[in-house]
Amino acid sequence: MTQDQPTRLKAMRQMATQQAPTRQTTTRQMPAFVPCERCPLRRKAAFMQKDEKEVSFINGLKSAHLRFAAGSQLIQQGTEEPNLFTLFSGWAFRHKSLPDGNRQILSFLLPGDLAGLQATLQAEAEHGIDALTDVELCIFPRRKLLDVFEKAPALAYDLAWLGSREERMIDENLLSVGQRGAAERMVALILGLYRRAEHLDLVENQSFLFPLTKQHLADALGLSLVHASKTWSSLQRLNIFTYADRRLTLVNPRATERIASYFDRDWRVRPIL
Amino acid sequence: MTQDQPTRLKAMRQMATQQAPTRQTTTRQMPAFVPCERCPLRRKAAFMQKDEKEVSFINGLKSAHLRFAAGSQLIQQGTEEPNLFTLFSGWAFRHKSLPDGNRQILSFLLPGDLAGLQATLQAEAEHGIDALTDVELCIFPRRKLLDVFEKAPALAYDLAWLGSREERMIDENLLSVGQRGAAERMVALILGLYRRAEHLDLVENQSFLFPLTKQHLADALGLSLVHASKTWSSLQRLNIFTYADRRLTLVNPRATERIASYFDRDWRVRPIL
DNA sequence: CGGCCAATTGACTGGCGTCAATAGGGGTGG
DNA sequence: CCACCCCTATTGACGCCAGTCAATTGGCCG
C-alpha cells in the first residue's frame, strides 16, 4: 500500500513451492478401487451409518479412487475442476493466494471431509487444495451433482450440511486470525486438529500425527515463518505440548483449551459421501 | 496467553453494545406482508428469474415479513434459531465473539442474501447476526427445509449454491485479515461492499450508502478501533474515497482495485429465496 | 562431500495496539 | 434554550508484538 513495489518478497517461497510436485508431475499411482459398500472409513463411529441402498447409490457416483503424493496440487486456484472428492486417507489443505505470493491456508482436510463443493457449485475454483501427506481420494464427477439433488434428496441435504460445517470451521479460523494473539491462535489451531483427529480415532495417548511444517502453520495463522517458529518453541517451553517423530502430544488438552478460549463444537456424527 | 486475567478490556465496549436494543426490546413493527410474487427485490437483474410455480412455492415457505430497527440482534450467538431469512432490505452482519468480548465480524449481508443457513442446518447458531441499518426480513421456518429438499430439488440446489457463495466470501475475508496490511485490508473490504451494492443498483455516481461505524470496520478487519480510524483517515488523505452523509464515494474504483490486489469475483445472476 | 531445504535464533525495525485527552452530534430534561 | 450526558470519532504519545534480515544448524539426497 504505502510501498507498492518492494512487496514482501515471501513470493520467493511461493516460487519454490510452485516447482514442487504439481498434479501432472505427481506420482499418481493406481490403488485398488474401494467400493463404498466396503469402505472402512465410513464405518467409523464419527460418521452417519447409511442403509445399503444409499451407500450403493453413493458408490454409483464414485468414478475413481486415486492416490497422490504429499505436496501434490489436488485442485489448482483459478482452474475449472470437474470433480469433487472425499478425502479417503491423509491430510490436505485449502488455500488462497494474493498476487504477491502471500498465501493463506483456509482450512485443513482430514479423512472423510468433502472437498471441492464451493468450486463445484461455482464455475471455477477460487482456491487451491494441496496434499499435506500422501492421500487417497474418492472422486465424484460434478456433473452428477444435479442428479443427487433430484434423485436423492437426503443425500443432497447431507451435501449442504457438509458445506455448512465447512463454513463453520472457516468462521472459527477467521475469528482466530482476527482476534487472538499469536500463541492463542496457534494453540487453537492445534486443538482443533487434535479434536478432529481424536474423533476419527487417530489419537493415541494424547498424541497424533502432525504433518504441518512451520510454513504451513505460518500461512494458516497469518504469521511470518519466523514468528510462527518462535511461537511454536515458546509453547513447547511452556510445556503445552511435545513434538517428536512428526507426532504431537498434548500435555493437558482440557487445561489447554482454557488457555486458548477454545470451545468444543458439537461432535455429532456427520454424513460422509 | 502470556497474561491471562488482564485481558484486553475491549469487553467494556461489548457490555455497552449488549444493552443496546436486543431482539425483545426492539421495535418490531409490522410491515405489510410482501408476497414473493410481487417482490420488487427479486425482479432485479442481479437475481435469477424463476417461473411462477417456483416463486409461489417459495411464497408458501415464507411465514412472515418483519421489520427490525438498526442495532437489533436478529440471531443471537449460542441460541437455537427456528428460522432462516432473506434480507429484504437494509444491511446486517454476522459476527462471532471470544469470551473476552473481542468480536470478529465474519461477513456482511445485503438485500437478497440468505442468512441462518449454517445455524439452520446445525442445531444452534455459533454466531450472531445484527442489523446494521433498519431491516426487513422474509422469514422461513427451518422445519420446512426438508420439504424443500424433497419437493423442490432445484430450490435445494439454489440453497446449497447460496451457502457456497457465502463461504467464498468468508474465504476472501480470511485471506484479507491473514495476509493484507491494514490499508489494503480496508480498501478490499470497501471495494467488496461497493461491488455488491453496485450489483444491486445501489450505487450512484460511484457513491453508496456506507453504514458501518469505525468499530464495525475494526471488528471486520481485525484491527483496533483507533488504528482503523487512523487507516480510514489516511485513505481519505490519499484521495481513495470521500465520505459524507453516511455515503461513501470511490474516487477511482478500478485504480483502487489494483492498490488492494482486489479481484472481481464472477457476478453471474444468483438465486434468491 | 556439497547442495538444498526446513528450522532455529538473535538483532533490529516497524506496524499496530493501548492509553488518554479532546471534539462534536444528538437526545433529554431542567 | 441551554446544560449535560452518552456515544462516536479523532489525534498524539508511547510501547509491544510481530515482521524482516541474516547467520547458523542439521537432515536428506545425489
Side-chain angles (χ1 to χ4, degrees), chain A residues 147-164:
Chain A
D147 273 17
V148 174
F149 278 83
E150 274 161 16
K151 296 179 191 156
L155 234 189
Y157 187 86
D158 287 348
L159 254 157
W161 198 97
L162 287 173
S164 119

Side-chain angles (χ1 to χ4, degrees), chain B residues 184-254:
Chain B
E184 295 162 307
R185 231 182 280 182
M186 189 171 286
V187 171
L189 173 62
I190 292 173
L191 271 171
L193 293 172
Y194 176 84
R195 292 298 181 203
R196 288 170 68 187
E198 185 180 36
H199 206 231
L200 294 168
D201 300 320
L202 263 20
V203 170
E204 282 178 81
N205 297 322
Q206 311 188 340
S207 131
F208 69 120
L209 173 73
F210 195 84
L212 315 209
T213 65
K214 297 289 169 298
Q215 185 68 59
H216 291 126
L217 276 172
D219 290 349
L221 301 174
L223 296 171
S224 71
L225 172 59
V226 174
H227 199 68
S229 177
K230 286 174 177 170
T231 305
W232 175 271
S233 316
S234 87
L235 288 176
Q236 281 188 302
R237 254 178 273 115
L238 288 171
N239 201 31
I240 306 287
F241 63 82
T242 60
Y243 182 78
D245 240 2
R246 300 194 96 199
R247 292 187 71 84
L248 188 152
T249 307
L250 277 178
V251 174
N252 188 338
R254 288 245 96 89

Side-chain angles (χ1 to χ4, degrees), chain B residues 18 22-24 73-81 95 124-130:
Chain B
Q18 213 66 295
T22 60
R23 181 150 190 171
Q24 286 76 335
Q73 296 186 2
L74 273 15
I75 290 182
Q76 219 172 332
Q77 184 171 349
T79 65
E80 198 157 330
E81 170 60 40
H95 58 88
E124 70 176 40
E126 295 202 338
H127 62 263
I129 302 187
D130 285 14

Side-chain angles (χ1 to χ4, degrees), chain B residues 36-37 42 48-62 140 148 151-159 271-273:
Chain B
C36 299
E37 290 88 344
R42 76 179 319 121
M48 217 174 258
Q49 299 305 316
K50 306 273 195 173
D51 60 38
E52 273 183 48
K53 197 160 135 278
E54 202 161 3
V55 173
S56 79
F57 181 87
I58 295 174
N59 191 55
L61 299 172
K62 179 169 173 178
F140 305 100
V148 173
K151 296 178 192 159
L155 235 187
Y157 187 87
D158 288 347
L159 254 157
I272 178 175
L273 238 112

Side-chain angles (χ1 to χ4, degrees), chain A residues 111-164:
Chain A
D113 289 344
L114 180 65
L117 235 202
Q118 322 78 2
T120 301
L121 288 170
Q122 326 289 334
E124 69 176 39
E126 296 203 338
H127 61 264
I129 301 186
D130 285 15
L132 198 51
T133 66
D134 290 352
V135 294
E136 288 178 59
L137 314 180
C138 304
I139 306 285
F140 304 99
R142 82 157 148 175
R143 61 186 155 67
K144 292 190 181 164
L145 248 195
L146 274 178
D147 273 17
V148 174
F149 278 83
E150 274 161 16
K151 296 179 191 156
L155 234 189
Y157 187 86
D158 287 348
L159 254 157
W161 198 97
L162 287 173
S164 119

Side-chain angles (χ1 to χ4, degrees), chain A residues 1 4 8 10 94 96-100 102-107 117-124 126-127 145-146 149-150 153-154 156-158 160-161 163-168 170-175 177-181 183-184 187 218-223 235 238 240 259-261 263-266 268, chain B residues 1 4 8 10 94 96-100 102-107 117-124 126-127 145-146 149-150 153-154 156-158 160-161 163-168 170-175 177-181 183-184 187 218-223 235 238 240 259-261 263-266 268:
Chain A
M1 180 80 242
D4 273 355
R8 331 173 191 143
K10 198 183 291 180
R94 295 199 312 124
K96 191 167 177 177
S97 295
L98 251 13
D100 65 6
N102 276 48
R103 179 177 73 172
Q104 177 66 37
I105 292 184
L106 304 165
S107 61
L117 235 202
Q118 322 78 2
T120 301
L121 288 170
Q122 326 289 334
E124 69 176 39
E126 296 203 338
H127 61 264
L145 248 195
L146 274 178
F149 278 83
E150 274 161 16
Y157 187 86
D158 287 348
W161 198 97
S164 119
R165 169 176 177 270
E166 169 76 8
E167 181 175 339
R168 283 202 306 163
I170 308 175
D171 283 353
E172 182 66 32
N173 290 346
L174 179 51
L175 174 63
V177 173
Q179 305 299 334
R180 290 191 242 244
E184 295 163 306
V187 172
D219 290 349
L221 300 174
L223 296 172
L235 288 176
L238 287 171
I240 306 287
I259 292 177
S261 306
F263 288 104
D264 237 346
R265 56 185 89 253
D266 58 337
R268 286 170 301 162
Chain B
M1 179 82 242
D4 272 357
R8 335 175 186 139
K10 199 184 289 181
R94 295 199 313 123
K96 191 167 177 179
S97 295
L98 250 14
D100 64 7
N102 275 49
R103 179 177 73 174
Q104 177 67 37
I105 292 183
L106 303 165
S107 62
L117 236 202
Q118 323 77 1
T120 301
L121 287 172
Q122 327 289 335
E124 70 176 40
E126 295 202 338
H127 62 263
L145 249 195
L146 275 179
F149 278 82
E150 274 160 17
Y157 187 87
D158 288 347
W161 198 96
S164 118
R165 171 176 175 269
E166 169 77 7
E167 182 175 339
R168 283 202 306 161
I170 308 174
D171 283 354
E172 181 66 31
N173 290 346
L174 180 50
L175 174 63
V177 173
Q179 305 299 335
R180 288 192 244 246
E184 295 162 307
V187 171
D219 290 349
L221 301 174
L223 296 171
L235 288 176
L238 288 171
I240 306 287
I259 292 177
S261 306
F263 288 103
D264 236 346
R265 56 184 88 255
D266 58 335
R268 287 170 301 164

